[in-house]
Structure formats: structure tokens, C-alpha cells
């Protein structure tokens, strides 16, 4: 396949970008992109460039999703306005309500509903995914979630990095008891999972639970990811130091001293921050301190968003990130957090041919608010229909 006379805006050809590199994109106008066997074969100047050329950016990589779940929670939107996310959860709603519906949902329904979501995400430009368990709690339901992810992966031939997530303490259980169960699951599912994640927060798990669980995962060669400081800061950064944690997610309540200690990628989840009415005031410090920043959708029954361009638009309007920052965060840097930045995440020969052909310049993303900026999406060299959405 040949994409003729396109203008390219891509992250630099690096493992990840921070600092001044984070503020820019590699821009090459009037190029021909040759795609062969799902990869970018070459990028060369167009021989007879016409004036008009379409803009192309890398497809998105979503490093934080809760793609697989049963039921929906639209009834909580208005409830959260009076009660807040934490109180809904404490009363057995929120994650607990999704655990119930996921447990009751048969595997085929779970597969079909998750499939619908991921296909929508692909049509909105996402090519690479991370997906978490965590709405099962019990091993057999967690396994059902993993089965669904593997079925989707086989069917669509897209990459889904899988994460075993300790989401909340069982309703009539305790942390200590669940730690043993969770460690057993890590052992049982090793080989099928890429990461272990813990939701460390008020109403969820303590930092010491996370330390033990991730230490155990690390001893089996499985890196950690964490949901941290989303609602409240429980001192997790200090307690988790020294572990192999590749991504610190949310981080809204983190302070600047703690930021200095973070080694892994920080993944921000803009729609969730807005949903929780958080200011995101720490984001500027994250940028200034040259942290490796990635961005995810956090698609979940709480924040049901399948459009990455919409998440970028919200972040661009409300938070201190430029469009260049946001493209870097949601392509190369998010691939880096999934150990994929050497094979994907930017437009360079040899990399996977995952790209988005835009209707206009990339600067219009988040400007023409709520409009779909995408003309077509190419994933592993295959074009998706441009007229869906
Ligand atoms: O990343 N914080 C925990 N997990 C999700 C929300 C899940 C839910 O509410 O169902 C998150 O925000
Ligand atoms: Fe999450």
C-alpha cells in the first residue's frame, strides 16, 4: 500500500520523549509512505507534490482500559454529583455493582459487548490496547475476563496487553485473605498476563497490600502498574519505592516531593480526572520535572469513553498539555509504558503501520470540539472504513 503526498506529524524516533522533545513533533511535509506486510517500509519525499496533502499521525496506544465488563452504570452519573465516587463505592455501588454484573454475565455476552467497545475504539484511532481484569475478584470470573480478552485478540489480530488487577476488597472479606487469593491468581495466570496492577486508594487497597502483591509478581518476572493517588494520597509512592512498577496511573493527589521519586511512566487519565471534578494541578509539575508522561482513556463502566480524540480534546482544553504533548503521550510514550515503543508508537520505517489519516491539520483536534477529526485508520497495514462513527 502507498499513501501518497501526506504530511507527517510523529514523535521523534526515540524510546520515549520528555523535556523539550516532549513539546515537539517530527514534521515532514509531502511524503509517500510505503506499507508492506503490516509495517512501514519507507517514507520518502513525494516526487510531484500537489499543494494539498493530508495529515497523518501515529494511531493511538491506550495503556489503561477496563475494556471487559458486564452491565452499565449510567444511573450513577447523577448520584455521584451529590455523593461522590467514594461514597457510591462504599455503599456497594460503583466497582461492586460491576463485579455483580460481570459475574452474572455469560462469556459470550461479555465478549460481544467488549467487542463492540474495542471496535469503536479502533474506529476512533486506537491501535494498541492494555486491558485489565478486576471486575471478577474471584479467580474463575477473573479468568472469564482473560478468556474474553484472548478471544478478542485472536479475532481482531490487535495487541492487547493484559493486566491482572486487584480492584477492591471483596464485600465480606478482608485484605489479608484476599492477598493470598490474589497471589494464587498471579501464579495461576502467569504466562497469560503481562502486568499486575493494584487500585491503591481510600475504599480500595492499602499501599502495603500493593507492595506485597507487586513484590510477588516481580519475583515471577511480572512488572507492576498501579492505580495510585486517584481519590486520596495514602503514602503509596514511598511505600512502593524500589519495586518494578512500569506505570503510575492517575496520580492526581501526588505531591511534588513524591514526583521526584517516581521512576516509571506516569499515565494520566483526563476523562476520569474531570469525572472526579479534580483540577489536575499537579500536571504542570509533572511536565516541568520531565517525567515520562503517557495518557490513557480509562474506559470503564464509570468513564465510558471509546473516543481517544475526545479524551485528547478534553485534556487540551482543561489541562496544561499542548496538542504536541498529547500526541506524544498517547502514541510513543504510551507504547513505552507497554514495552512496545521500539516496534510501534511513531512513524518511522520498520515500525508497525498503525496510523491515522486526519481530515485536517492535527492542530484541529480539540478545537473543533466533539467533531471526529479522523478520515481513516490503518492498523497493522489494514485500512478501517472511514465512514463509520
Ligand atoms: O481507573 N480506580 C479504579 N478503577 C477505575 C474505575 C473503575 C470503576 O469505577 O468501575 C479507574 O478509575
Ligand atoms: Fe482504571
Amino acid at each position: 500500500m502507498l499513501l501518497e503526498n501526506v504530511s507527517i506529524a510523529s514523535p521523534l524516533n526515540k524510546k520515549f520523549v520528555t523535556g523539550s522533545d516532549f513539546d515537539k513533533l517530527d514534521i515532514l511535509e509531502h511524503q509517500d509512505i510505503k506499507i508492506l506486510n503490516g509495517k512501514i517500509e519507507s517514507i520518502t519525499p513525494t516526487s510531484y507534490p500537489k499543494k494539498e496533502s493530508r495529515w497523518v499521525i501515529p494511531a493511538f496506544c491506550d495503556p489503561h482500559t477496563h475494556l471487559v465488563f458486564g452491565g452499565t452504570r449510567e444511573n450513577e452519573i447523577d448520584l455521584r454529583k451529590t455523593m461522590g465516587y467514594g461514597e457510591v463505592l462504599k455503599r456497594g455501588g460503583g466497582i461492586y455493582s460491576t463485579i455483580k454484573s460481570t459475574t452474572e454475565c455469560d462469556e459470550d455476552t461479555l465478549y460481544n459487548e467488549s467487542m463492540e467497545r474495542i471496535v469503536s475504539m479502533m474506529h476512533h484511532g486506537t491501535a494498541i490496547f492494555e486491558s485489565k481484569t478486576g471486575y471478577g475478584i474471584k479467580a474463575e470470573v477473573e479468568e472469564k475476563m482473560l478468556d474474553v480478552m484472548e478471544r478478542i485478540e485472536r479475532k481482531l489480530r490487535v495487541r492487547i496487553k493484559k493486566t491482572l488487577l486487584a480492584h477492591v476488597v471483596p464485600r465480606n472479606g478482608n485484605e489479608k485473605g484476599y492477598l493470598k487469593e490474589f497471589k494464587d491468581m498471579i501464579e495461576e495466570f502467569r504466562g497469560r498476563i503481562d502486568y499486575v496492577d493494584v487500585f491503591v486508594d481510600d475504599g480500595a487497597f492499602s499501599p502495603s497490600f500493593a507492595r506485597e502483591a507487586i513484590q510477588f509478581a516481580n519475583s515471577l518476572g511480572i512488572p507492576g502498574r498501579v492505580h495510585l493517588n486517584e481519590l486520596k494520597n495514602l503514602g503509596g509512592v514511598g511505600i512502593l519505592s524500589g519495586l518494578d512498577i512500569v506505570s503510575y496511573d492517575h496520580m492526581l493527589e501526588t505531591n511534588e516531593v513524591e514526583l521526584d521519586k517516581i521512576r516509571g511512566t506516569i499515565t494520566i487519565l483526563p476523562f476520569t480526572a474531570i469525572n472526579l471534578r479534580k483540577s489536575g494541578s499537579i500536571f504542570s509539575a509533572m511536565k516541568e520535572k520531565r517525567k515520562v508522561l503517557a495518557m490513557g482513556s480509562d474506559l470503564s463502566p464509570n468513564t465510558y469513553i471509546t473516543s481517544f480524540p475526545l479524551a485528547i480534546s478534553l485534556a487540551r482544553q482543561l489541562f496544561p498539555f499542548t496538542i504536541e504533548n498529547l500526541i506524544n503521550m498517547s502514541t510513543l510514550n504510551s507504547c513505552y509504558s507497554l514495552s512496545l515503543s521500539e516496534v510501534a508508537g511513531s512513524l518511522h520505517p520498520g515500525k508497525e503501520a498503525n496510523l491515522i489519516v486526519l481530515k485536517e491539520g492535527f492542530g484541529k483536534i480539540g478545537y473543533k470540539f466533539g467533531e471526529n477529526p479522523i478520515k481513516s485508520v490503518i492498523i497493522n497495514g489494514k485500512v478501517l472504513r472511514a465512514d463509520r462513527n
Side-chain angles (χ1 to χ4, degrees), residues 7 85 99 103 136-137 182 218 227 256 260 264 272 306-307 311 322:
S7 292
Y85 179 90
I99 288 168
T103 304
I137 295 223
F182 190 63
N218 287 173
H227 282 72
E256 291 200 28
D260 291 332
T272 312
T306 59
S307 166
T322 64

Side-chain angles (χ1 to χ4, degrees), residues 3 13 102 175 244 338 387:
L3 284 176
N13 198 7
T102 306
E175 262 201 5
D244 178 16
L338 297 174
D387 56 355

Side-chain angles (χ1 to χ4, degrees), residues 64 66 73 85 95 135 167 199 227 230 250 272 298 301-302:
H64 185 138
H66 304 259
R73 303 217 309 257
Y85 179 90
I95 296 169
Y135 291 120
H167 219 168
F199 181 18
H227 282 72
E230 177 183 355
H250 293 290
T272 312
D298 201 14
N302 182 50

Side-chain angles (χ1 to χ4, degrees), residues 7 35 42 51-52 77 133 149 151 159 258 307 325 328 371:
S7 292
I35 295 172
S42 62
K51 250 191 155 182
E52 281 293 298
I77 300 174
T133 68
M149 292 174 208
R151 271 174 77 180
R159 285 180 190 275
E258 290 168 326
S307 166
N325 294 157
N328 280 320
E371 278 190 25

